[in-house]
Amino acid sequence: MPALVHGLRPLGLAMSLLAVPTRSYSAPPPKESAAAAQLPSSFRWSSSGQLISPKPDASHSVVSVKDPTVVQANGKWHLFMTTANTAGSWSLAYTSFTPQSWSAPRTFQNAAPSGTLDYWTICDSAMCYLFSADDNGHVYRSETTAGEFPGGFRNTRLVLQDSKFALFEGGAVYRVQGTNTYLLLWEAIGGDGRRYHRSFTAQGLTGQWQPLAATEANPFARATNVTFPSGAWTRDISHGELVRAGNDQTMTINPCRLQFLYQGLNPSAGGDYSQLPYRLGLLTQTNSSC
């Protein structure tokens, strides 16, 4: 995949994403009970090496790439990410093709809890829901009708609560293909100071979230349940996104052999947060029950 954003080195991301056989995403949707059983109660992963990293040149000083969002459409992978430079300034980067145009700005949400960030939108046939974090142990959900989207989010409510670092930021919500089961992932900070992901499930987007793999001992994704065939380049499995089965607003995943695009960094890195040398890597599930 060519890097069309200056200062980025893609390092074979497209090949890694396409490594999952196409047939696994074209199979008929599984029955409710079968598909739900395909989400194990514990997960094992294998990680790639660094796939996206900064490429310094005369006009750019990017030190970090993070917070990936990836989707496949029209035969291409479209990747958005956050970048930081040596001055501590944040930017949005994109690779795969040149964007053609943007619509005029609209008000997305009139009111939100103080300090919320890392917004995630997912819809069913009638409603759209906005999930967000506040870096203080709270997960919020707002809603609007599909017809009003992308505006009108209201009825904000607290849907999960824990200690500050147990529900920190970087959340995502997906529908499990062929079911009414939804999977919520949330980034946490472990007792060792390293980032990892917890997981919860609910029946329906307004259902009660129940822990799936949600502890430091049994996480969704943490360095302790990931192997690194090319060498352990990170101990943080931070802010990421599952590769979806399609590209519509239902955020549907096929539960067979999940892949998770995430940010990690050299374990010895330190200093100001904006200067941490985050890179992007890809986890592939190795214990699928399919």
Side-chain angles (χ1 to χ4, degrees), residues 31-41 176 179 181 255 288-290:
K31 294 181 180 179
E32 172 96 22
S33 58
Q38 289 168 359
L39 282 178
S41 57
V176 179
T179 77
T181 298
S288 171
S289 57
C290 299

Side-chain angles (χ1 to χ4, degrees), residues 129 131 141 159-160 180 182 184 201-210:
Y129 299 91
F131 290 82
R141 187 193 73 227
V159 295
L160 271 177
N180 195 41
Y182 287 83
L184 180 146
T201 59
Q203 296 303 303
L205 284 165
T206 59
Q208 183 69 39
W209 295 103
Q210 301 294 333

Side-chain angles (χ1 to χ4, degrees), residues 188-268:
I189 301 178
D192 58 359
R194 298 295 176 176
R195 306 285 185 113
Y196 72 101
H197 279 75
R198 304 174 68 196
S199 61
F200 303 79
T201 59
Q203 296 303 303
L205 284 165
T206 59
Q208 183 69 39
W209 295 103
Q210 301 294 333
L212 178 62
T215 66
E216 289 195 59
N218 180 33
F220 177 77
R222 192 174 183 232
T224 52
N225 68 339
V226 174
T227 61
F228 295 86
S230 300
W233 60 276
T234 181
R235 288 170 58 195
D236 292 88
I237 309 298
S238 187
H239 194 142
E241 181 171 320
L242 286 171
V243 177
R244 289 180 275 143
N247 55 24
D248 65 16
Q249 71 277 13
T250 63
M251 303 295 186
T252 299
I253 56 168
N254 186 318
C256 297
R257 197 167 180 251
L258 298 172
Q259 288 190 300
F260 187 62
L261 184 63
Y262 72 100
Q263 65 182 38
L265 77 165
N266 188 315
S268 64

Side-chain angles (χ1 to χ4, degrees), residues 109 111-122 129-143 153-161 167-168 171 173 184 186 205 209:
Q109 186 179 24
S114 176
T116 49
L117 74 167
D118 291 347
Y119 294 95
W120 181 271
T121 303
I122 181 172
Y129 299 91
L130 181 69
F131 290 82
S132 59
D134 66 357
D135 281 355
N136 198 32
H138 303 111
V139 176
Y140 297 98
R141 187 193 73 227
S142 303
E143 62 185 46
F153 279 98
R154 54 189 174 271
N155 298 334
T156 300
R157 62 191 64 191
L158 183 67
V159 295
L160 271 177
Q161 184 172 3
L167 289 173
F168 194 59
V173 183
L184 180 146
W186 221 262
L205 284 165
W209 295 103

